[in-house]
Amino acid sequence: MTVELQGDLQSRDAKIAIVVSRFNDFVTTHLLDAAVDTYRRHGGNDAQLTVAWTPGSFEIPTVALRLAQSGKFDAVVCLGCIIRGGTSHFDFVANEAAKGIGQVSLQTGVPCIFGVITADNLEQAIDRAGAKQGNSGAKAMAAAIEMVNLLKQVK
Ligand code: INI
């Protein structure tokens, strides 16, 4: 008989840290609001949520690592918004954020969710922060809850 493992979407008592970048906060505040709303609507308790603000997306992995290493959190949700400009700066910030968040997850075993928007322009970013393409903050929190519940079954 096949063993199939799945995490459900009940927040229960999941302890979740959210790391959110101030850079482009016109967008990231919408990601944060949607992440918190998703946690609540899936049954979560605000007392189990911690929010840490970073200057930019480049700094997210450093803070995510500290939070993940603390042993206090079941998952870390990383939220940011990187918008392409006229130089290669976008690529450096986006690559470091993505690589760093992935490394923290693998090094610590604490799921770190990539809720960082990488967009070619502001319109694309807005589309992913509550307009045409949904909200990346809500999706990231749903992924975090699912991962917490999936990993509980593997322990
Ligand atoms: N940080 C972002 O989160 N998004 C951006 O679009 C961005 N751009 O375009 O520059 C950005 N830069 C700042 C960076 O994350 C660092 O905070 C900064 O380089 C200091 O280390």
Side-chain angles (χ1 to χ4, degrees), residues 21 23-24 55-59 81-83 89 93:
S21 161
F23 204 104
N24 291 325
S57 296
F58 187 84
E59 287 77 27
C81 174
I82 311 170
I83 301 177
H89 194 71
V93 175

Side-chain angles (χ1 to χ4, degrees), residues 9 30-39 41-42 77 79 113 115 128-130 134-145:
L9 291 174
H30 290 283
L31 302 181
L32 176 61
D33 288 351
V36 171
D37 180 62
T38 298
Y39 182 76
R41 287 193 296 114
H42 288 261
V77 173
L79 304 176
I113 308 300
R128 287 159 180 75
N135 188 305
S136 297
K139 291 175 190 171
M141 180 59 78
I145 296 165

